[in-house]
């Protein structure tokens, strides 16, 4: 908690109490400064890659088979204090505990702050880790635009970074294992009666932009049967998404919406709506998104409007490394649980043995200001992560 305190006000909206820490915003820049200071204080060597990922090395920064820790500092709009930052401060706290006891890691231990994990600004989740891993093409990333129409290339250049440096990262080839600690986004650990758990899997998930187009006209002078109002097809799509996802035991959310031109007394010309959908299996997810798309098309045709659907960010199912998962679950005597939330650990898991530790969240709420974890549980998370580093980076 004392490590989170200095950043408690950074990017915090006074009205909602939520954090607005989108990638490369003023808040994000302040958090990067804070991260650099924390690294310096511990004698860690700070390196920033071409994608904005910050890496604080304990041990040679050109060393091999590193043990990577950390998480991210950016947030969704009006996010909570823990999603991301808890993993970063717990990693620093684990380093503190080990440095205090005179532990000398047999392999480099690295604390990461991954850039743009939430994808709140440019639409693609885990952009920093995907770029580093070669899972997102630099040209595509640099051309992504934010809500103000600024490209990622313009934004990183304005922050003094070189767009030409964006892309696969050499340092990642020198990482042997990644363990990301994160607040749980659900209540499994409450049911298990455990402060800390180990992740087994991440549901496949993605984001699709639905672009409904109709005909702008006067709200008073246009009779109802003569309208081509794109909001109608959008509304039908939202209802279909809830029905279809509920029936499939899956998830479908329209959390972001732009209605153009946005006049109270005008029928809109366009609605852009972003679907976030997740399911237990990849085929189930594909089927669900196809069914929601079909419902949107039928509704649009009925109104003489149109809809186009574009996939913006799709993440396959992740099964974390079974050997590492079992090793950590045994070491910590912790329950094993899957999650519906996405993480940089999921992006890196096809490349190297990767694991996640979850810290109990009493209400399960996340991506909202009321996201919470108890101090004692956070301390248990640090203890668990410390034990993991001792185990994975101890003298062989
Ligand atoms: C990230 O937290 C996500 O699951 O979208
Ligand atoms: Mn998140
Ligand atoms: Mn997160």
């Amino acid at each position: 908690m004392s490590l989170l305190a200095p950043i408690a006000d950074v990017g915090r909206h006074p009205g909602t109490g939520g954090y607005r820490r989108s990638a490369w915003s003023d808040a994000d820049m302040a958090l990067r400064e804070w991260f650099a200071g924390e690294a310096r204080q511990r004698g860690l060597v700070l390196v920033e890659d071409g994608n904005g990922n910050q890496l604080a090395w304990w041990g040679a920064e050109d060393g091999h088979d590193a043990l990577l820790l950390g998480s991210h500092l950016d947030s969704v709009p009006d996010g909570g204090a823990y999603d991301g930052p808890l993993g970063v401060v717990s990693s620093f706290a684990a380093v503190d505990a080990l440095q205090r006891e005179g532990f000398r890691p047999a392999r480099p231990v690295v604390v990461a702050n991954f850039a743009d994990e939430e994808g709140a600004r440019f639409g693609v989740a885990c952009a920093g880790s995907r770029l580093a891993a070669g899972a997102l093409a630099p040209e595509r990333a640099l051309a992504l635009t934010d809500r103000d129409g600024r490209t990622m290339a313009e934004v990183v250049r304005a922050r003094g970074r070189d767009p030409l440096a964006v892309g696969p990262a050499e340092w990642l080839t020198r990482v042997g294992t990644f363990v990301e600690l994160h607040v749980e986004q659900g209540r499994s650990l409450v049911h298990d009666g455990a402060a800390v758990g180990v992740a087994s899997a991440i549901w496949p998930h993605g984001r699709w932009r639905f672009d409904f187009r109709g005909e702008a006209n006067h709200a008073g002078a246009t009779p109802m049967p003569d309208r081509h109002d794109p909001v109608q097809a959008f509304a039908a799509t939202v209802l279909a998404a809830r029905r279809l996802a509920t029936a499939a035991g899956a998830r479908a959310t329209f959390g972001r919406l732009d209605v153009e031109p946005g006049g109270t007394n005008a029928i809109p010309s366009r609605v852009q709506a972003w679907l976030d959908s997740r399911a237990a299996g990849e085929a189930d997810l594909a089927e669900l998104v196809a069914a929601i798309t079909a419902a949107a098309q039928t509704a649009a045709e009925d109104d003489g409007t149109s809809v186009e659907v574009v996939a913006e960010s799709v993440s396959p199912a992740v099964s974390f490394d079974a050997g590492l998962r079992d090793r950590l679950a045994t070491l910590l005597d912790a329950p094993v649980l899957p999650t519906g939330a996405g993480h940089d650990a999921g992006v890196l898991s096809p490349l190297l043995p990767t694991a996640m530790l979850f810290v109990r969240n009493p209400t399960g709420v996340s991506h909202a200001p009321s996201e919470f974890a108890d101090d004692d549980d956070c301390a248990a998370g640090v203890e668990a992560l410390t034990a993991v580093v001792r185990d994975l980076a101890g003298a062989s």
Side-chain angles (χ1 to χ4, degrees), residues 2 10 17 55 63 143 150 207 211 215 218 222 227 238 240-242 264 276 287 320 329 340 347 366 372-373 386:
S2 65
V10 178
L55 305 150
R150 296 181 75 203
R207 302 173 182 188
D211 192 355
E215 190 177 270
H218 195 285
T222 316
R227 297 175 176 219
V238 173
R242 181 172 69 175
T264 306
D276 178 310
E287 206 174 295
F320 288 109
V347 171
S366 184
F372 183 66
T386 307

Short mmCIF file of all heavy atoms in Angstrom, two decimals, residues 2 10 17 55 63 143 150 207 211 215 218 222 227 238 240-242 264 276 287 320 329 340 347 366 372-373 386:
data_model
loop_
_atom_site.label_atom_id
_atom_site.label_comp_id
_atom_site.label_asym_id
_atom_site.label_seq_id
_atom_site.Cartn_x
_atom_site.Cartn_y
_atom_site.Cartn_z
N SER A 2 1.99 1.20 0.70
CA SER A 2 2.84 2.39 0.72
C SER A 2 3.47 2.60 -0.65
O SER A 2 3.78 3.74 -1.02
CB SER A 2 3.91 2.28 1.81
OG SER A 2 4.77 1.22 1.50
N VAL A 10 -2.59 9.91 -9.38
CA VAL A 10 -2.18 10.10 -10.78
C VAL A 10 -3.29 9.61 -11.73
O VAL A 10 -3.64 8.43 -11.72
CB VAL A 10 -0.86 9.36 -11.09
CG1 VAL A 10 -0.48 9.54 -12.56
CG2 VAL A 10 0.26 9.83 -10.17
N GLY A 17 -13.79 9.14 -9.20
CA GLY A 17 -12.84 8.36 -8.40
C GLY A 17 -12.13 7.30 -9.22
O GLY A 17 -11.30 6.55 -8.71
N LEU A 55 11.54 -1.83 -18.60
CA LEU A 55 12.09 -3.05 -17.99
C LEU A 55 13.16 -2.66 -17.00
O LEU A 55 14.11 -1.95 -17.36
CB LEU A 55 12.69 -3.93 -19.08
CG LEU A 55 11.67 -4.23 -20.18
CD1 LEU A 55 12.33 -4.44 -21.51
CD2 LEU A 55 10.81 -5.40 -19.78
N GLY A 63 21.75 -10.00 -19.77
CA GLY A 63 21.78 -11.40 -19.32
C GLY A 63 20.74 -12.25 -20.03
O GLY A 63 19.88 -11.74 -20.77
N ALA A 143 -0.61 2.94 -37.38
CA ALA A 143 -1.72 3.59 -38.10
C ALA A 143 -3.01 3.62 -37.28
O ALA A 143 -3.98 4.27 -37.69
CB ALA A 143 -1.96 2.86 -39.42
N ARG A 150 -5.86 10.92 -33.73
CA ARG A 150 -4.39 10.94 -33.78
C ARG A 150 -3.87 9.50 -33.90
O ARG A 150 -4.34 8.61 -33.20
CB ARG A 150 -3.81 11.57 -32.51
CG ARG A 150 -4.19 13.04 -32.37
CD ARG A 150 -3.58 13.62 -31.11
NE ARG A 150 -2.16 13.86 -31.26
CZ ARG A 150 -1.30 13.94 -30.23
NH1 ARG A 150 -1.73 13.75 -29.00
NH2 ARG A 150 -0.03 14.19 -30.45
N ARG A 207 -12.35 -7.90 -29.73
CA ARG A 207 -13.10 -6.65 -29.90
C ARG A 207 -13.45 -6.50 -31.37
O ARG A 207 -12.59 -6.63 -32.23
CB ARG A 207 -12.24 -5.45 -29.48
CG ARG A 207 -11.76 -5.55 -28.07
CD ARG A 207 -10.78 -4.42 -27.76
NE ARG A 207 -10.29 -4.56 -26.40
CZ ARG A 207 -9.55 -3.66 -25.77
NH1 ARG A 207 -9.20 -2.54 -26.40
NH2 ARG A 207 -9.16 -3.86 -24.54
N ASP A 211 -20.11 -0.97 -37.48
CA ASP A 211 -20.28 0.35 -38.09
C ASP A 211 -21.65 0.38 -38.80
O ASP A 211 -21.80 -0.16 -39.90
CB ASP A 211 -19.13 0.57 -39.09
CG ASP A 211 -19.05 2.00 -39.56
OD1 ASP A 211 -19.92 2.81 -39.21
OD2 ASP A 211 -18.09 2.30 -40.31
N GLU A 215 -29.39 7.21 -42.60
CA GLU A 215 -29.58 8.48 -43.29
C GLU A 215 -30.00 9.55 -42.28
O GLU A 215 -31.02 9.39 -41.59
CB GLU A 215 -30.70 8.29 -44.33
CG GLU A 215 -30.87 9.43 -45.29
CD GLU A 215 -31.95 9.06 -46.31
OE1 GLU A 215 -31.60 8.49 -47.35
OE2 GLU A 215 -33.13 9.34 -46.03
N HIS A 218 -34.46 15.00 -40.21
CA HIS A 218 -35.06 15.80 -39.15
C HIS A 218 -35.88 14.93 -38.19
O HIS A 218 -36.66 14.08 -38.63
CB HIS A 218 -35.96 16.87 -39.80
CG HIS A 218 -36.34 17.96 -38.87
ND1 HIS A 218 -37.28 17.80 -37.86
CD2 HIS A 218 -35.90 19.24 -38.78
CE1 HIS A 218 -37.41 18.94 -37.20
NE2 HIS A 218 -36.58 19.84 -37.74
N THR A 222 -39.68 13.86 -40.07
CA THR A 222 -39.57 12.58 -40.78
C THR A 222 -40.49 11.54 -40.14
O THR A 222 -40.25 11.12 -39.00
CB THR A 222 -38.11 12.05 -40.72
OG1 THR A 222 -37.21 13.13 -40.97
CG2 THR A 222 -37.89 10.94 -41.74
N ARG A 227 -37.97 6.42 -42.04
CA ARG A 227 -36.63 6.63 -41.49
C ARG A 227 -35.65 5.50 -41.82
O ARG A 227 -36.05 4.34 -41.95
CB ARG A 227 -36.71 6.73 -39.96
CG ARG A 227 -37.51 7.91 -39.52
CD ARG A 227 -37.68 7.93 -38.01
NE ARG A 227 -38.39 9.16 -37.65
CZ ARG A 227 -38.12 9.89 -36.59
NH1 ARG A 227 -37.18 9.51 -35.74
NH2 ARG A 227 -38.79 11.00 -36.37
N VAL A 238 -27.79 -5.11 -29.75
CA VAL A 238 -27.47 -5.20 -28.31
C VAL A 238 -28.35 -6.27 -27.64
O VAL A 238 -27.87 -7.10 -26.86
CB VAL A 238 -27.67 -3.84 -27.62
CG1 VAL A 238 -27.50 -3.97 -26.11
CG2 VAL A 238 -26.70 -2.81 -28.16
N ALA A 240 -29.90 -8.76 -29.13
CA ALA A 240 -29.53 -10.09 -29.65
C ALA A 240 -28.25 -10.58 -28.98
O ALA A 240 -28.13 -11.77 -28.64
CB ALA A 240 -29.35 -10.02 -31.17
N ALA A 241 -27.30 -9.69 -28.77
CA ALA A 241 -26.02 -10.07 -28.16
C ALA A 241 -26.26 -10.61 -26.75
O ALA A 241 -25.68 -11.64 -26.36
CB ALA A 241 -25.07 -8.88 -28.14
N ARG A 242 -27.13 -9.95 -26.00
CA ARG A 242 -27.39 -10.43 -24.64
C ARG A 242 -28.05 -11.81 -24.67
O ARG A 242 -27.66 -12.72 -23.93
CB ARG A 242 -28.28 -9.45 -23.87
CG ARG A 242 -28.52 -9.95 -22.45
CD ARG A 242 -29.22 -8.96 -21.57
NE ARG A 242 -30.59 -8.74 -21.97
CZ ARG A 242 -31.45 -7.98 -21.30
NH1 ARG A 242 -31.05 -7.34 -20.23
NH2 ARG A 242 -32.69 -7.81 -21.72
N THR A 264 -29.70 15.96 -30.64
CA THR A 264 -30.93 15.44 -30.03
C THR A 264 -32.09 15.46 -31.02
O THR A 264 -32.95 14.58 -31.02
CB THR A 264 -31.29 16.28 -28.79
OG1 THR A 264 -30.15 16.29 -27.93
CG2 THR A 264 -32.49 15.73 -28.04
N ASP A 276 -17.19 -6.29 -27.18
CA ASP A 276 -16.18 -7.11 -26.51
C ASP A 276 -16.86 -8.44 -26.23
O ASP A 276 -17.89 -8.47 -25.56
CB ASP A 276 -15.74 -6.42 -25.21
CG ASP A 276 -14.73 -7.25 -24.42
OD1 ASP A 276 -14.97 -8.45 -24.20
OD2 ASP A 276 -13.69 -6.68 -24.01
N GLU A 287 -18.60 -18.62 -33.26
CA GLU A 287 -20.02 -18.86 -33.54
C GLU A 287 -20.87 -17.71 -32.95
O GLU A 287 -21.80 -17.21 -33.60
CB GLU A 287 -20.41 -20.18 -32.87
CG GLU A 287 -21.57 -20.89 -33.49
CD GLU A 287 -21.74 -22.25 -32.83
OE1 GLU A 287 -20.84 -23.12 -32.96
OE2 GLU A 287 -22.76 -22.42 -32.15
N PHE A 320 -1.96 -21.77 -19.68
CA PHE A 320 -0.62 -21.48 -19.16
C PHE A 320 0.18 -22.77 -19.01
O PHE A 320 -0.38 -23.86 -18.85
CB PHE A 320 -0.73 -20.73 -17.82
CG PHE A 320 -1.19 -19.31 -18.00
CD1 PHE A 320 -2.46 -18.92 -17.58
CD2 PHE A 320 -0.38 -18.38 -18.61
CE1 PHE A 320 -2.90 -17.61 -17.77
CE2 PHE A 320 -0.80 -17.07 -18.80
CZ PHE A 320 -2.06 -16.69 -18.38
N ALA A 329 1.49 -23.82 -7.91
CA ALA A 329 0.33 -24.19 -7.08
C ALA A 329 0.78 -25.04 -5.89
O ALA A 329 0.28 -24.88 -4.77
CB ALA A 329 -0.70 -24.94 -7.93
N GLY A 340 -11.59 -14.88 -17.37
CA GLY A 340 -12.15 -14.31 -18.59
C GLY A 340 -11.46 -13.01 -18.97
O GLY A 340 -11.86 -12.37 -19.95
N VAL A 347 -0.38 -13.04 -23.87
CA VAL A 347 0.29 -12.76 -25.14
C VAL A 347 1.66 -13.46 -25.21
O VAL A 347 2.04 -14.00 -26.24
CB VAL A 347 0.46 -11.23 -25.33
CG1 VAL A 347 1.33 -10.91 -26.53
CG2 VAL A 347 -0.91 -10.57 -25.46
N SER A 366 -14.05 -5.28 -11.24
CA SER A 366 -12.81 -4.79 -11.85
C SER A 366 -13.17 -3.90 -13.03
O SER A 366 -14.32 -3.86 -13.44
CB SER A 366 -11.94 -5.97 -12.29
OG SER A 366 -10.70 -5.51 -12.78
N PHE A 372 -11.09 -3.66 -5.77
CA PHE A 372 -10.45 -3.62 -4.45
C PHE A 372 -9.75 -4.92 -4.11
O PHE A 372 -10.16 -6.00 -4.54
CB PHE A 372 -11.53 -3.32 -3.39
CG PHE A 372 -10.98 -3.18 -1.99
CD1 PHE A 372 -10.15 -2.12 -1.67
CD2 PHE A 372 -11.28 -4.13 -1.03
CE1 PHE A 372 -9.62 -2.01 -0.38
CE2 PHE A 372 -10.76 -4.02 0.26
CZ PHE A 372 -9.94 -2.95 0.58
N ALA A 373 -8.71 -4.81 -3.33
CA ALA A 373 -8.10 -6.00 -2.71
C ALA A 373 -7.67 -5.57 -1.31
O ALA A 373 -7.18 -4.46 -1.10
CB ALA A 373 -6.92 -6.50 -3.52
N THR A 386 7.35 -13.43 -3.82
CA THR A 386 8.72 -13.53 -3.29
C THR A 386 9.15 -15.00 -3.26
O THR A 386 10.27 -15.34 -3.67
CB THR A 386 8.78 -12.91 -1.88
OG1 THR A 386 8.25 -11.59 -1.94
CG2 THR A 386 10.21 -12.85 -1.35
#
